[in-house]
Amino acid sequence: MPWNREEMAARAAQELRDGFYVNLGIGLPTLVANYIPQGMDVMLQSENGLMGIGPFPLEAEVDADLINAGKQLVTALPGSSYF
């Protein structure tokens, strides 16, 4: 049976290691942030100028100014930077 988008994103997250800096493109790669294990130090960057993207926000965490390159809402991790 073929993998769905969530399964592919979870598998891609398994390739990440502590200390990695990763540029995520639009589409399926944006889901990878949701599968990074807690406690792993990975900095994700988006083409919109945010370094330190976290997973998609819960409803209570939504900040309309924090979006990824696909214009999806994201969170910013502690230590994030904007450029």
Side-chain angles (χ1 to χ4, degrees):
M1 176 175 280
W3 288 6
N4 64 35
R5 293 170 52 87
E6 300 292 329
E7 291 168 326
M8 286 187 274
R11 177 61 185 91
Q14 291 177 13
E15 297 296 319
L16 303 177
R17 300 290 178 262
D18 272 328
F20 275 19
Y21 286 78
V22 181
N23 178 291
L24 296 179
I26 301 172
L28 185 123
T30 62
L31 299 174
V32 172
N34 293 334
Y35 296 98
I36 297 172
Q38 192 165 12
M40 182 180 283
D41 182 24
V42 174
M43 292 298 281
L44 302 176
Q45 188 264 334
S46 178
E47 289 83 4
N48 66 340
L50 172 58
M51 174 71 82
I53 293 174
F56 291 121
L58 300 173
E59 192 170 325
E61 301 172 315
V62 169
D63 178 341
D65 292 326
L66 295 178
I67 59 170
N68 64 21
K71 296 190 176 47
Q72 298 168 305
L73 295 168
V74 294
T75 56
L77 298 176
S80 295
S81 63
Y82 305 91
F83 49 93

